[in-house]
Structures are given as C-alpha cells and as structure tokens.
Amino acid sequence: MIGQFLIALAAGCASAAMFASITSGALISLVLLYLSPLPLMVAAIGWGPFTAAFGGALAAVALGAAFGIGDFVAYAIAVALPACWLGHLCLLGRSPSGGQGAPAALEWYPVGRILLWIAGFAALATSAALLALGSDAAQVAATLRGFLLRVLAMNDATTSAETDRWIEAMVSFAPSAAAIVAMLTLTLNLWLAAKVAATSGRLSRPWPDLKMAALPPMTLVVLCAAAAFCFSGGLVAMLARIATSALVIAYALTGFAVLHTLTLAFKSRAFWLGSAYAFVVVFGWPMLAMAALGLADAVFGLRRRYLRSHPPPLPVP
C-alpha cells in the first residue's frame, strides 16, 4: 500500500509539473504539456487504475490551488480522466464464456475499441477547450482571431488582405487541428506507457497484435453523421468538425495497421513501411491516404481478403 501511494504521488507530481510547465512560455513546455498524461498512464498500466486515479486527483487539486479552478478542470478532463480510463481498458480482460476443460486464455479489451475511446476523449477535451473560449461560434472565432492577431503583433508583422485570409483559414482549421493533435498525442502516450510497462515487466497482459486493430463497425455510421453535421453551421458544425477529425485520424491509424498487414509478403517491407511513415511525418497530408486505406478496409475488408488469399505458413515441426 505504501509503495502504491508513493508511485501515485510520483506520477501525480511529474504529470502536474509537465502540465504546469506551459506557464514558462518555453517551446519545450509544449512538448511536456502533451506528454503530461504519460506518468499517469504508466502508473495505471503498471500498478492499476486506482493508483493513477489517486495521483491524478492529487495533481488536479494541486494545480487548482496554484492556478485556479480553470486549470483544475482542464487537467481533470484532458489529462487525468483519459489516462486513468485508458489504462483501465488496457488491463480489462475476461474469460471466454462457455468454455469446457482447460481454462482458455483471457480475451483482452480490443485495441480498436481503445482507439475509439481515445477519439472520444480527444473530441471531449478539444470541445471543452473550445467552449471555454465562448458560448457560440462567432464568439469562439473572434477569440481565436484576436489571439492570432496578438501573435502577429508580437512578431511585428503587418496585416494585409492576404494576412486576413490566412487568419480566417487558421481560425476555421484550428478546432480540427486541435482534435488531430489531441488524438495523436493521446495515442502516442498510451503506446509509450505500455512500452515502458512491458520493458519494466509490469505489463500484465500480452502485447496485442496492433496490425489487426479495427474500429467497431458502427464507427463508420457515427463518422458519416458527424460529417453531415459539419454543414449545419454555427457551434454545432464546429463541434462536428472536431468529432469528424478525431474519427478520421482513428481510421488513419487503422490504415497503418492495414498497411502493415498488406506488406507482410514484401521482401523490402521495412523500407516501404519506413518510407510511408517518413512521408506522413514530413508532409502530413499522406495521413489522408492512410485514413482512406482504413476506411476502405472497414467497407471492403481488405485485411480479411488478403489473409484469406495469403494464409500464414504452417509451423515447422
């Protein structure tokens, strides 16, 4: 019990310090801010979600006492809640029902459903941050526009018609960009936390086969509904764009899983996979191709067709 308390205290202090580092204004503090869920996720996966919840509660109270209720709510929604719940889902397993004879291996919570939860948390955190800027779309846009104008003024940039168009484009894209960043950073934090737990011998479940990760079928229906609401206008359209962006990135991540499956027979597989990741990191827009690949797999079952026509080799006796 003492050991778990110390782990919770250490994880909470580390996470709170990383979250509060943004007040320094240094560029590295932005990286630390996005990595602030990592200590709590490591605690959740390695020592259980209650340990992470206790550390997250201590960190939230400390941040609230130091910086105000706004930071308390922001930390609880964007950091503590996702870290504890996602860590809990990683350890969630059940025995197959109806089995007889020798006990069967546990069925662990599917990676695709965890990915869907990550998309939900990314959309929730981004929507909460957006609503903190204003109660309607015009007020939110005006707040974002004022922030960009202040940044330009700090850099002594002159405003022009082209600058105004750039600002309007940034204001329009900012909610979607925030949801994309939140989706990617939460996924990265969970992967890193699981790797740390596995390396230290604290991961109590086998490492999942990530190339077979697939979102639930109803996710496609939710994506189509969210995309339709993007054309409604106002705050509803803004929130719909956030949800759509998070789900598109979720399909892009499953697209990488599809790519890993479809290249199993390639002799230079490492080169092609490395090139694909490099293109995505350098240019960004190839992520849309990965999303299209993930959507194609959801509709046409590309991985299922490929594995049916390319069965794995039999084990050597």
Side-chain angles (χ1 to χ4, degrees):
M1 183 66 69
I2 301 275
Q4 285 191 328
F5 172 77
L6 293 177
I7 292 294
L9 183 62
C13 289
S15 180
M18 295 165 75
F19 185 86
S21 66
I22 194 64
T23 57
S24 67
L27 186 60
I28 189 63
S29 65
L30 190 61
V31 178
L32 294 175
L33 174 67
Y34 284 122
L35 290 176
S36 57
L38 182 59
L40 293 180
M41 285 184 177
V42 172
I45 296 175
W47 287 267
F50 290 106
T51 301
F54 186 68
L58 291 177
V61 171
L63 289 170
F67 302 104
I69 189 64
D71 287 85
F72 171 85
V73 175
Y75 180 84
I77 293 177
V79 178
L81 179 60
C84 298
W85 184 249
L86 293 175
H88 164 70
L89 293 180
C90 287
L91 303 178
L92 194 61
R94 65 180 182 182
S95 299
S97 58
Q100 295 181 354
L106 287 177
E107 293 180 356
W108 297 99
Y109 199 77
V111 175
R113 292 185 179 272
I114 295 178
L115 197 58
L116 187 59
W117 275 103
I118 294 175
F121 281 123
L124 174 64
T126 308
S127 300
L130 202 69
L131 293 174
L133 302 178
S135 57
D136 55 58
Q139 189 175 359
V140 171
T143 305
L144 292 174
R145 193 178 298 109
F147 171 76
L148 291 174
L149 288 173
R150 286 195 299 271
V151 171
L152 290 176
M154 289 171 58
N155 292 275
D156 297 326
T158 58
T159 58
S160 61
E162 184 178 353
T163 305
D164 291 338
R165 286 193 296 269
W166 178 83
I167 290 176
E168 291 303 322
M170 290 295 294
V171 168
S172 178
F173 183 65
S176 297
I180 292 171
V181 171
M183 179 71 191
L184 292 175
T185 52
L186 271 178
T187 305
L188 177 63
N189 277 314
L190 187 61
W191 183 84
L192 287 174
K195 278 294 184 182
V196 170
T199 303
S200 60
R202 300 293 306 186
L203 185 63
S204 58
R205 61 167 291 173
W207 190 263
D209 188 3
L210 296 180
K211 67 177 181 295
M212 297 309 297
L215 294 169
M218 284 301 295
T219 308
L220 191 58
V221 179
V222 176
L223 175 60
C224 293
F229 277 107
C230 291
F231 300 95
S232 61
L235 189 61
V236 173
M238 199 172 285
L239 297 177
R241 286 198 294 271
I242 291 174
T244 301
S245 301
L247 290 175
V248 166
I249 296 302
Y251 274 109
L253 295 175
T254 61
F256 281 108
V258 176
L259 187 65
H260 276 260
T261 301
L262 299 184
T263 56
L264 283 174
F266 286 20
K267 292 183 178 180
S268 52
R269 181 170 181 255
F271 169 77
W272 291 110
L273 290 176
S275 299
Y277 280 101
F279 269 102
V280 170
V281 171
V282 173
F283 298 105
W285 62 263
M287 184 69 82
L288 296 176
M290 291 295 102
L293 187 59
L295 287 167
D297 178 71
V299 176
F300 302 109
L302 299 181
R303 280 178 289 187
R304 185 177 64 253
R305 293 170 183 265
Y306 176 84
L307 294 175
R308 188 183 302 153
S309 59
H310 297 77
L314 296 175
V316 179

